[in-house]
Amino acid sequence: MPVLLALDAGTGGAKCAIFDIDGHQRAVHREEWTYTVRPHPDFPPIKEYGFDPAHFWAILCRCAREALARAGVAPRDVVGVATTSQREGCVFLGPDGNEVYAGPNLDSRAFMEGLDILTTLGPQRLYEITGHSAPFIFAIARYLWFRKHDTRPVARVLMINDWMTYRLCGAMVAEPSNAAESMFFDLRQRAWSAELLNMYDIPAAILPPLCEPGQRIGQVTPETAAATGLLAGTPVYAGGADTQCSLLGSGAIEPGDTAAILGTTCPVQAVVERPTLDPRANLWAGCHVVPNRWVIEANVGACGDAYHWLLDLMIHEPGDRYARAEELARPEFDSGTFLFIGSRIFDLTKIRPDMPGGILFRFPSLQLRPGPGELLRGFFESLGFAIRANVAQIEEVTGAPTPHLIAGGGMTRNRLLLQILADITGLDVWRAEEAECTGLGCAILVATGAGLYPDIPTAVRAMCRHSEIAPQPARHEYYNGAFAKWRELYDALDQLSV
């Protein structure tokens, strides 16, 4: 049986997912990884994050071997492989093709270089070119930092998914969805920005040629075949940034489609048919993995990460703690409990690492001792309120109402959360049945690149499935009032610092 393989380098770990050509998951294997972290020598609150590329590549290879074994498929059945990764993470190669720097999206060592970019170019012009602002974690600032602090020459700058592709087949290319997360990229032109390169005297040769996601770019080398369990010669196709691959795997490909990807963080992206910038420079803009499609983005911030922290604090009994949390939170606690833990209203114009979080409740609720169920439900509701607020920001920029909300990512396994989300937003929620939607997006790119489907829309219709969750009118009416209170409290917290 032919299968499609996706390699995924996330912020918290590596993953390999295998799908059949109908979009059904055959196997997945994931492993966590950690980074080297040290305070910035001059500004200790700023952290320098790095990783050992040989070690990380070994983990990715092991994930591929384990997933193949779990799927029970022969390597000859793998039609092709594509890669996806966290955005903003990048790797620099020296003239010999070996890595001289490797850093995840968390690495802010180039904070001062980012300030220099904002000073010399200006935040408005930077946003007009790249669709992004606050350049502290982007590849352009890290390259300027490296050039200042390291004598080794840089021959190529690759985003992490492109570096994985290089490791698979030896080809050095870039694709638009993650190239747009480098700040070397002109969003409107879908090309490297000559203006940025000239302004900072950056040689164009360090940036690889651009290709389209789903384009065949090489084949697995014998060395990589031995490490991954794949056959030498297996076709390698260009993948894309993890969030945009998640959009694709969730079926969000047409203008107006809006999706919340409920993973470690929760980006909210709407698909648009032309580059769309926020006049206030508050939202990100980027490229989709779908040809001639762009995205406009807000981000709710910590989602699954905050949820796991709460579960660690509150659920210690044996068994499925996710099912137990959903059971505890199911009663409708209308007590006015709000958890400002992780969820934010996206705002690029503010850098607020000091904005406080917390749990707010009505007095005398303390005497009533709210339990884990009420707190967990309060977390789900606050997450839903933040998604509603961020969707509203996107609607203000696009000028179009959201017809329905597509939900993808690991936390879509929580059906209570999705019902609460539908009730809060008043929108039908289309739940992507495949929670591993990032890997499925990669698989769709392989399937179309290999000619199994004539185009992406046809592949999406064949490989993506949804279940629909409708809002309950009475609960939506209640949540309209609760949302107003949540927003009032959020704005008050936004004026505080700790």
Side-chain angles (χ1 to χ4, degrees):
M1 175 184 290
V3 295
L4 317 160
L5 189 143
L7 274 180
D8 182 356
T11 302
K15 186 186 304 180
C16 179
I18 298 176
F19 297 88
D20 65 25
I21 62 174
D22 296 319
H24 296 108
Q25 185 193 124
R26 294 293 304 275
V28 64
H29 180 76
R30 60 178 61 80
E31 295 188 16
E32 294 183 355
W33 51 31
T34 58
Y35 305 103
T36 58
V37 185
R38 65 174 186 171
H40 191 286
D42 300 318
F43 304 96
I46 298 170
K47 299 295 190 296
E48 299 181 2
Y49 285 78
F51 64 87
D52 178 350
H55 178 60
F56 270 33
W57 180 244
I59 294 174
L60 285 159
C61 290
R62 188 162 60 243
C63 286
R65 293 196 306 272
E66 291 295 328
L68 286 167
R70 291 185 182 188
V73 296
R76 65 177 178 275
D77 293 329
V78 178
V79 172
V81 56
T83 66
T84 183
S85 74
Q86 55 179 269
R87 298 177 292 170
E88 292 89 51
C90 58
V91 177
F92 302 164
L93 304 180
D96 60 0
N98 292 322
E99 298 87 354
V100 295
Y101 162 82
N105 51 11
L106 302 168
D107 187 15
S108 56
R109 71 183 66 203
F111 184 82
M112 296 306 298
E113 286 70 25
L115 287 178
D116 289 343
I117 292 172
L118 291 177
T119 300
T120 55
L121 185 64
Q124 186 61 38
R125 182 56 186 153
L126 183 65
Y127 182 72
E128 289 170 355
I129 297 171
T130 67
H132 293 68
S133 188
F136 314 113
I137 61 171
F138 290 87
I140 188 171
R142 295 191 216 176
Y143 174 79
L144 296 177
W145 179 93
F146 191 89
R147 189 168 67 181
K148 185 186 301 183
H149 295 279
D150 202 303
T151 59
R152 292 173 293 177
V154 173
R156 276 283 193 261
V157 173
L158 299 175
M159 305 306 284
I160 289 180
N161 63 308
D162 300 322
W163 165 73
M164 294 158 65
T165 298
Y166 165 66
R167 281 282 199 158
L168 281 169
C169 67
M172 297 186 196
V173 297
E175 53 73 37
S177 69
N178 223 358
E181 305 297 323
S182 70
M183 274 198 172
F184 288 110
F185 195 76
D186 187 313
L187 180 70
R188 289 187 176 90
Q189 300 299 321
R190 245 176 142 96
W192 301 119
S193 169
E195 179 178 344
L196 289 170
L197 296 178
N198 291 336
M199 174 161 282
Y200 299 106
D201 194 26
I202 299 171
I206 69 168
L207 299 172
L210 291 161
C211 68
E212 285 299 320
Q215 181 178 330
R216 180 171 175 170
I217 53 176
Q219 58 188 25
V220 171
T221 65
E223 179 184 6
T224 299
T228 59
L230 293 163
L231 281 183
T234 300
V236 177
Y237 298 87
D242 55 2
T243 300
Q244 284 87 324
C245 283
S246 294
L247 253 64
L248 175 57
S250 300
I253 62 170
E254 297 297 339
D257 285 344
T258 301
I261 306 302
L262 296 147
T264 302
T265 62
C266 182
V268 181
Q269 289 190 340
V271 181
V272 290
E273 59 187 344
R274 61 182 62 87
T276 302
L277 299 178
D278 181 354
R280 299 172 300 169
N282 181 31
L283 303 180
W284 273 356
C287 295
H288 204 336
V289 290
V290 180
N292 300 315
R293 294 287 184 266
W294 285 258
V295 295
I296 184 79
E297 175 180 354
N299 198 307
V300 176
C303 176
D305 198 29
Y307 184 43
H308 287 149
W309 177 69
L310 285 174
L311 294 181
D312 289 342
L313 289 175
M314 291 192 286
I315 298 183
H316 305 288
E317 58 200 72
D320 185 340
R321 65 178 187 165
Y322 302 106
R324 178 57 177 158
E326 192 170 346
E327 177 188 355
L328 288 170
R330 191 161 296 281
E332 294 177 359
F333 300 101
D334 295 344
S335 60
T337 299
F338 299 97
L339 273 71
F340 294 93
I341 297 173
S343 300
R344 300 292 176 92
I345 301 174
F346 195 60
D347 189 347
L348 275 178
T349 65
K350 297 179 181 178
I351 305 298
R352 286 301 314 276
D354 62 340
M355 181 175 173
I359 302 171
L360 298 177
F361 45 82
R362 297 190 191 108
F363 184 84
S365 294
L366 184 59
Q367 281 77 4
L368 300 178
R369 295 191 179 185
E374 187 168 348
L375 296 177
L376 286 164
R377 190 179 182 94
F379 172 74
F380 296 154
E381 290 173 343
S382 293
L383 176 57
F385 294 143
I387 290 173
R388 173 171 166 169
N390 281 292
V391 168
Q393 289 196 116
I394 291 173
E395 290 176 335
E396 185 178 350
V397 172
T398 62
T402 303
H404 54 264
L405 183 64
I406 298 171
M411 283 193 71
T412 59
R413 297 181 179 95
N414 187 323
R415 290 187 175 270
L416 172 62
L417 170 62
L418 297 185
Q419 183 64 63
I420 290 172
L421 182 56
D423 293 342
I424 287 174
T425 61
L427 299 170
D428 288 336
V429 172
W430 291 13
R431 173 185 179 266
E433 290 294 313
E434 176 51 64
E436 296 291 348
C437 54
T438 304
L440 180 56
C442 264
I444 290 170
L445 292 173
V446 173
T448 53
L452 300 177
Y453 296 100
D455 51 42
I456 284 178
T458 304
V460 166
R461 287 192 293 271
M463 299 175 71
C464 294
R465 283 161 283 276
H466 298 94
S467 57
E468 296 186 24
I469 301 167
Q472 303 170 98
R475 293 301 297 170
H476 179 56
E477 183 178 354
Y478 162 75
Y479 278 131
N480 281 335
F483 173 73
K485 175 59 67 175
W486 178 88
R487 184 61 196 255
E488 178 186 346
L489 295 170
Y490 182 92
D491 290 341
L493 283 172
D494 195 28
Q495 304 304 313
L496 304 177
S497 62
V498 293

